[in-house]
Amino acid sequence: MTPSGDQSPPADRDGPAADLAANPGVIATTLLSGVIAVAVAAAEWVGSGQALDSPAGILWSVVALLGVAAMLLGSGLELRRRRQAARQVAAPRAVAAPGPAADRPAPPPARAQVPELPTGTVTFLFTDIEGSTRLLQQLGGRYPAVRDEHAAILRRAIRDRDGVEVSTEGDSFFAAFASPVAAVGAAVAAQRGLAAHPWPEGFAVRVRMGLHTGEGVLGGDNYVGIDVNRAARIAGAAHGGQVIVSGATHGLVEDAVPEGTSVRDLGEHRLKDLNLPMRLYDLVIEGLPADFLPPRTLDARPGNLPAQLTSFVGRERETAEARRLLGRTRLLTLTGAGGTGKSRLALQVAAELLSGYRDGAFFADLSSVTDPDLVPAVLARALRVPEAPGRPVLEALRDHLRDRQLLLVADNFEQVRQAGAVVEELLAAASGLTVLATSRVALSLRGEQELVVPPLALPDPAGPPDPESLGRSDAVRLFVERAQAVRPSFELTEENAQAVAEICARLDGLPLAIELAATRTKVLTPGQILPRLQHSLTLLTGGARTLPDRQRTLRGAIAWSYDLLPAAEQRLFARLSVFSGGWTLAAAEAVGDPEALGLDPLEATTSLVDQSLATTTGAAVGGPRFSMLETIREFGREQLAASGELDEVARRHASWFLDLAVAAEPHLGGADQGEWLDRCDLEHANLRAALRWAVEAGETDRAQEAAGAIWRFWQQRGHLAEGRRWLEELLAMPSGQGPTPARAKALSGAGGIAWWQEDIAAARGFYQEALAIARQLGDPARTAQALYDQSFVAGAAGDFDGAFGLLEESLELARLAGDEPVAARAGWMLAIRDLAAGDWDRALPVAERSVATWRRLGDRLQMADGLVWLGVVYIRAGRPADARSAIREALGLFRDVDSPMGIVSVILGLSYLARWEGRYQDAVRLAGAAESLREQVGGRPPLDFLAGFIGDPEAEARARLPADAAEAAWEEGRRLGVEQALEG
């Protein structure tokens, strides 16, 4: 040890020479100088033509000798450097750890005694403690010991698998492994060791880890190169307790992961400072938490921009201009005829600008919306804005956007131009909002900047006709790329280049038209396509004179593809245009009736996809799903109307989806609840169209029955305001005022939505009328359900005696009707009497029996909800472990079906749990988190109702805390993410 305490290796005994040998730059310069000297001397002497003993020959001989001496010296220094490297301990490497430290200058890392660093193919491991600053603040003087225990676990895992500890910085580690299998084994062992370690009670040390395999290049005494940066960024994308590995590492260890470990594909992600996306995977370690949020990558920035399945060709000028204009305006409208590529350009611009908007970029597709009044709800859905009870959606949008900085892409605005005032109002309320709209015409709004999207650039008619010159045109490039998608061997050649250029010119450079034509290369050469296309365009030009030229051109391209279909497929194509938002094969069979046309449904639909008249969106609930671009759909609707089949096909479409709504009802709470909720989500546009058809056709009974049947979908998936609007419109129809089963069902659904919106007065009115109709109809099962519903509003008003009377009658009628689910619900609610009296031991068996009944019946929705409140009863009965287990099971059920409403109930249940465990700050914090999530999803069970018999955890916890501490906990809870809240 030196007097200063430095534990660096002592200087080499050879003194100055050792210093030179330690500098690779000096060695390289010496060797290179020698080589140059010898080469120059030889060249000059040979070039002079003089004898070796001449003055010039002697001079160049001396230069050559000096060069040889320099080469010998350099070689000697290199040999000395290698001997020193073999004797010395490698110096620590100053590589920034992942996380915040990676973005700021790092202090000198601690030096560690490590073996020689591996080179060649190396797997890099980066780790750090998640939330270490918070842990430091909470643990205070205990933190250094915790950090050291964590370091010992990591060092043991690295050492036991022959890894090299490259550096440490605070709680961050950087290690290297010659074997990727060993690296993965070390990460798994470290996570297991960390999870098993007895940390201070109430504190968990969660370490995020990242692994990447690449080239281990040493730059002096350090690793250099992009692969080290990749590994650090991967670790920075992980969450505490998670191990993320790159695609390179995954490919090497896929069949050799440690026992009890599997690999999960996280998809492609863009990492900070890296140009290309990387495919990431994480390790699922048996017995350890595996439910993590998406990786913290650039893709994790808020937004919903759809992934694009085809390349973006050309448009460099338009892209640059759009970006420039968005730098000085907050409303930019891309205008142009259908098929010019406005939507594709808008998505490309939004993707390029995503990182510049703190709160992300969002895409709202208005193509299936024809009612301007629905625009606020569609925008709210795209922006993930909650429906707040009793508040207009537009007001909720304004409040949500007020302090946010984001980009909103509003696509296909031309058909709802009357809703332009919505955009103006949002822009006025939110200074950080920027709107990028697409429309066939300008919106004529204040502050709007229009950018006309022209066709793609065509080849210069005066330019050379060779493939290389023609291929520089964006239009030709697009044709070639799309042709290669259907025929990979397609190339632009001397034989076909001129025909391709003429096709693009005849199609006016319209991207959609070019893509339609390019698909024909599957069976035709460009030379064969051109005359057929010219014929179709000539026919079209003879009519429809009122259409703009480019619109006629596009319609001609669509018409050409349509004309090439057999007559039966033409009729099916027109029939399928009745769908909004897409269709399944089953729906196509029922609505399009291909069998009556002599067609196989799958083969005919596949043919439309091959002709680019339909697209497939991949597998979904109910099998493959198909859709049409809006421009093509418009053409199809015109053909359908011209055929005289529109009314009949629209009737079949509405009938199919109204029946689907009724069929969904029993599944929206059953074992397959998640599948049916997803199915209703996918068909939401079709359901809207079916309800609108029913209203206009006077089919009130069918509409009321269907809307009442899917109220649980609207409630579970956060469409409360839209569902309420539909039900109120249908209930107000003059033809739907009779005391029918359909009206009773719609009233029950409207009451349920109003209840979750905490509009108790409206719920009471709906439920009362539903009960009156059920009694008039003399239906015991329907009456039992209506009595059960009415008991809630009685209880919410504090009339528990009235509520108990309703529930007792409901239970009796349900048993009489053999309706076990309603009987179980009524029996459970009768336990309120014992809850209100504080007799938890008596209430507990009732709650357990009810949950057991729902479990047996497969009623997942009711079981999940019952488990939350069973957990509350458990904690009041002094059984905290059972309480936590019940609430966690409920969480799993709600997560399975993506129910944000259910998650609100779970967080409320955890708040009750914390209050009765004496964790008062946690109780208030969780109540704040529940309130924040309630605002996002737009509803919850009314707390005044719950407080009447199981207490109010927030109020009770606040009463036991200083006011400032309670308020701080509440505000902290409101800032918590869902996952952080659920850890409570």
Side-chain angles (χ1 to χ4, degrees):
M1 181 176 290
T2 64
S4 65
D6 186 0
Q7 296 181 353
S8 302
D12 192 282
R13 289 186 299 269
D14 295 323
D19 293 336
L20 290 175
N23 192 326
V26 170
I27 296 171
T29 301
T30 304
L31 285 167
L32 184 60
S33 299
V35 170
I36 292 173
V38 172
V40 169
E44 290 292 338
W45 174 60
V46 171
S48 70
Q50 300 187 30
L52 187 60
D53 57 356
S54 68
I58 294 172
L59 173 62
W60 294 119
S61 297
V62 171
V63 172
L65 288 172
L66 290 172
V68 170
M71 293 168 63
L72 291 172
L73 176 60
S75 299
L77 291 172
E78 174 61 15
L79 289 173
R80 184 182 297 276
R81 187 190 70 80
R82 295 187 180 187
R83 287 198 300 271
Q84 289 174 358
R87 292 197 304 267
Q88 289 180 334
V89 175
R93 278 72 190 161
V95 178
D103 297 322
R104 63 175 186 268
R111 302 181 72 84
Q113 298 290 327
V114 293
E116 185 173 357
L117 296 177
T119 56
T121 301
V122 176
T123 300
F124 304 109
L125 167 66
F126 281 90
T127 80
D128 77 334
I129 297 176
E130 183 178 62
S132 56
T133 302
R134 186 177 67 251
L135 270 179
L136 173 60
Q137 293 171 341
Q138 293 173 337
L139 288 168
R142 293 182 291 169
Y143 179 73
V146 167
R147 183 192 59 206
D148 292 345
E149 291 166 18
H150 136 270
I153 293 170
L154 287 175
R155 287 194 171 105
R156 187 182 312 115
I158 294 168
R159 183 184 63 246
D160 289 350
R161 285 152 186 83
D162 299 323
V164 179
E165 182 185 327
V166 182
S167 70
T168 61
E169 178 190 341
D171 56 70
S172 304
F173 274 72
F174 173 31
F177 296 80
S179 162
V181 175
V184 169
V188 171
Q191 290 291 16
R192 290 192 184 280
L194 291 163
H197 189 74
W199 303 108
E201 186 175 354
F203 298 94
V205 175
R206 297 184 178 89
V207 176
R208 53 184 180 173
M209 303 183 182
L211 289 161
H212 173 61
T213 304
E215 189 175 4
V217 180
L218 292 174
D221 59 358
N222 197 357
Y223 281 117
V224 296
I226 190 64
D227 286 313
V228 178
N229 292 330
R230 286 181 178 137
R233 293 305 183 194
I234 290 170
H239 298 279
Q242 186 178 30
V243 181
I244 293 185
V245 303
S246 68
T249 302
H250 168 260
L252 295 170
V253 305
E254 185 175 6
D255 299 322
V257 294
E259 186 176 351
T261 304
S262 59
V263 182
R264 175 170 52 194
D265 189 348
L266 300 176
E268 287 198 339
H269 291 269
R270 294 178 301 122
L271 301 172
K272 185 178 179 183
D273 299 330
L274 301 180
N275 292 330
L276 298 176
M278 293 185 68
R279 194 160 201 92
L280 302 180
Y281 301 79
D282 71 346
L283 304 181
V284 180
I285 305 170
E286 188 177 309
L288 300 187
D291 189 10
F292 300 104
L293 292 172
R296 300 187 301 183
T297 60
L298 292 179
D299 310 89
R301 190 177 289 272
N304 67 342
L305 298 181
Q308 299 305 299
L309 303 180
T310 57
S311 58
F312 184 72
V313 177
R315 297 291 195 201
E316 288 83 2
R317 189 193 67 79
E318 291 84 3
T319 302
E321 180 64 4
R323 294 184 61 163
R324 185 186 72 80
L325 291 173
L326 285 170
R328 71 183 195 188
T329 185
R330 294 174 51 226
L331 173 57
L332 176 64
T333 303
L334 305 182
T335 62
T340 52
K342 301 182 297 294
S343 300
R344 190 68 175 86
L345 175 60
L347 286 169
Q348 181 68 23
V349 171
E352 292 184 11
L353 294 177
L354 175 61
S355 61
Y357 290 91
R358 183 185 66 239
D359 297 299
F362 294 81
F363 177 77
D365 182 5
L366 300 170
S367 61
S368 63
V369 181
T370 56
D371 182 353
D373 290 340
L374 281 178
V375 168
V378 173
L379 296 182
R381 184 71 175 165
L383 290 163
R384 301 167 190 166
V385 177
E387 294 182 7
R391 298 175 66 203
V393 176
L394 186 55
E395 183 180 331
L397 274 168
R398 286 198 306 265
D399 288 349
H400 176 85
L401 293 170
R402 196 176 310 280
D403 298 318
R404 283 178 165 80
Q405 181 198 38
L406 60 79
L407 174 65
L408 171 62
V409 179
D411 195 33
N412 290 292
F413 215 106
E414 64 274 355
Q415 57 197 18
V416 285
R417 285 183 65 199
Q418 302 93 318
V422 171
V423 174
E424 283 189 339
E425 191 166 340
L426 294 178
L427 288 167
S431 61
L433 172 65
T434 299
V435 175
L436 175 58
T438 72
S439 174
R440 295 183 188 178
V441 293
L443 305 182
S444 301
L445 302 177
R446 293 193 307 273
E448 179 184 21
Q449 172 75 57
E450 180 184 4
L451 175 61
V452 177
V453 179
L456 292 173
L458 295 167
D460 182 357
D466 61 281
E468 183 178 355
S469 300
L470 295 175
R472 297 191 189 102
S473 151
D474 288 346
V476 172
R477 284 170 54 204
L478 179 65
F479 183 97
V480 171
E481 288 202 20
R482 298 303 185 259
Q484 289 172 342
V486 296
R487 187 179 171 193
S489 62
F490 182 87
E491 291 183 359
L492 198 65
T493 64
E494 294 283 353
E495 290 73 27
N496 66 24
Q498 192 63 44
V500 170
E502 287 188 39
I503 289 170
C504 294
R506 292 291 292 148
L507 293 174
D508 291 337
L510 290 169
L512 178 56
I514 291 170
E515 289 180 339
L516 287 169
T519 62
R520 295 295 168 190
T521 57
K522 191 173 185 177
V523 292
L524 299 171
T525 66
Q528 292 169 327
I529 291 172
L530 184 58
R532 291 169 171 82
L533 177 62
Q534 287 174 329
H535 176 68
S536 175
L537 293 175
T538 301
L539 288 177
L540 185 78
T541 304
R545 294 287 186 183
T546 58
L547 289 174
D549 289 344
R550 285 173 185 156
Q551 191 67 11
R552 291 207 304 271
T553 299
L554 175 61
R555 288 172 55 79
I558 298 172
W560 176 55
S561 292
Y562 172 79
D563 290 341
L564 290 174
L565 296 174
E569 287 187 13
Q570 288 180 348
R571 292 181 67 187
L572 178 63
F573 162 75
R575 291 176 180 183
L576 295 179
S577 68
V578 77
F579 288 98
S580 289
W583 67 88
T584 62
L585 280 176
E589 289 184 61
V591 178
D593 198 11
E595 291 184 358
L597 299 173
L599 298 172
D600 176 81
L602 179 59
E603 289 181 3
T605 307
T606 302
S607 175
L608 296 179
V609 172
D610 289 343
Q611 311 300 331
S612 291
L613 291 172
T615 58
T616 178
T617 55
V621 179
R625 190 167 183 82
F626 306 90
S627 64
M628 289 181 186
L629 293 173
E630 191 61 23
T631 305
I632 294 174
R633 181 171 173 264
E634 287 176 3
F635 179 88
R637 292 278 290 206
E638 290 174 9
Q639 307 311 306
L640 185 61
S643 73
E645 292 189 332
L646 178 59
D647 290 344
E648 172 58 22
V649 175
R651 185 197 62 77
R652 290 204 299 262
H653 173 274
S655 183
W656 171 263
F657 286 103
L658 293 173
D659 287 347
L660 177 70
V662 174
E665 183 177 19
H667 300 280
L668 295 179
D672 52 356
Q673 177 191 24
E675 176 183 329
W676 277 83
L677 287 170
D678 289 344
R679 188 171 181 180
C680 289
D681 249 339
L682 286 170
E683 303 295 5
H684 203 179
N686 282 313
L687 289 167
R688 288 178 183 132
L691 288 172
R692 182 54 56 201
W693 177 91
V695 169
E696 294 173 357
E699 296 275 354
T700 310
D701 250 30
R702 296 199 66 188
Q704 287 181 344
E705 183 184 23
I710 59 170
W711 83 268
R712 277 290 187 187
F713 157 65
W714 283 323
Q715 179 248 342
Q716 288 288 300
R717 287 293 167 89
H719 301 288
L720 290 171
E722 181 178 351
R724 177 91 174 259
R725 270 198 312 277
W726 275 115
L727 286 160
E728 288 182 341
E729 179 181 356
L730 295 169
L731 289 168
M733 291 180 66
S735 58
Q737 298 302 308
T740 63
R743 182 171 179 83
K745 185 178 286 294
L747 286 163
S748 179
I753 287 181
W755 170 264
W756 280 89
Q757 289 180 316
E758 299 186 82
D759 187 350
I760 306 303
R764 180 181 297 106
F766 292 132
Y767 282 154
Q768 282 175 344
E769 186 181 350
L771 176 57
I773 292 175
R775 289 192 189 279
Q776 187 174 346
L777 293 172
D779 183 338
R782 192 181 300 278
T783 305
Q785 178 65 54
L787 287 163
Y788 172 79
D789 292 338
Q790 186 66 22
S791 72
F792 278 77
V793 293
D799 181 11
F800 287 104
D801 289 338
F804 298 147
L806 292 165
L807 288 166
E808 286 167 350
E809 187 181 357
S810 173
L811 179 59
E812 181 182 350
L813 286 173
R815 286 172 174 168
L816 178 66
D819 192 334
E820 194 175 6
V822 173
R825 291 199 292 272
W828 165 226
M829 290 304 294
L830 277 170
I832 290 175
R833 182 185 287 121
D834 299 319
L835 299 178
D839 192 346
W840 305 101
D841 292 332
R842 185 170 176 175
L844 186 54
V846 178
E848 290 177 324
R849 282 196 303 272
S850 298
V851 170
T853 299
W854 294 320
R855 193 186 300 276
R856 176 170 52 80
L857 294 173
D859 190 337
R860 290 169 63 91
L861 175 62
Q862 198 64 52
M863 182 176 76
D865 193 60
L867 280 165
V868 173
W869 308 116
L870 173 60
V872 175
V873 177
Y874 273 137
I875 188 62
R876 296 300 302 269
R879 294 168 58 176
D882 290 334
R884 194 170 295 276
S885 175
I887 293 173
R888 290 294 176 187
E889 185 182 357
L891 172 62
L893 292 169
F894 284 130
R895 273 182 165 158
D896 285 346
V897 298
D898 187 24
S899 172
M901 294 289 186
I903 301 299
V904 173
S905 294
V906 167
I907 298 175
L908 279 174
L910 291 173
S911 180
Y912 278 101
L913 184 63
R915 180 262 178 270
W916 287 101
E917 286 182 334
R919 297 183 287 113
Y920 301 123
Q921 283 185 303
D922 284 345
V924 176
R925 186 180 297 112
L926 287 162
E931 175 65 14
S932 176
L933 182 57
R934 183 202 68 78
E935 292 174 358
Q936 294 176 43
V937 302
R940 67 175 182 190
L943 280 182
D944 290 344
F945 171 66
L946 299 173
F949 55 92
I950 54 177
D952 182 339
E954 180 204 344
E956 293 168 14
R958 279 181 180 271
R960 290 162 173 80
L961 291 170
D964 56 345
E967 192 58 30
W970 173 264
E971 291 301 326
E972 182 183 349
R974 287 183 58 81
R975 292 191 298 270
L976 286 177
V978 172
E979 294 304 317
Q980 292 173 300
L982 291 172
E983 290 172 2

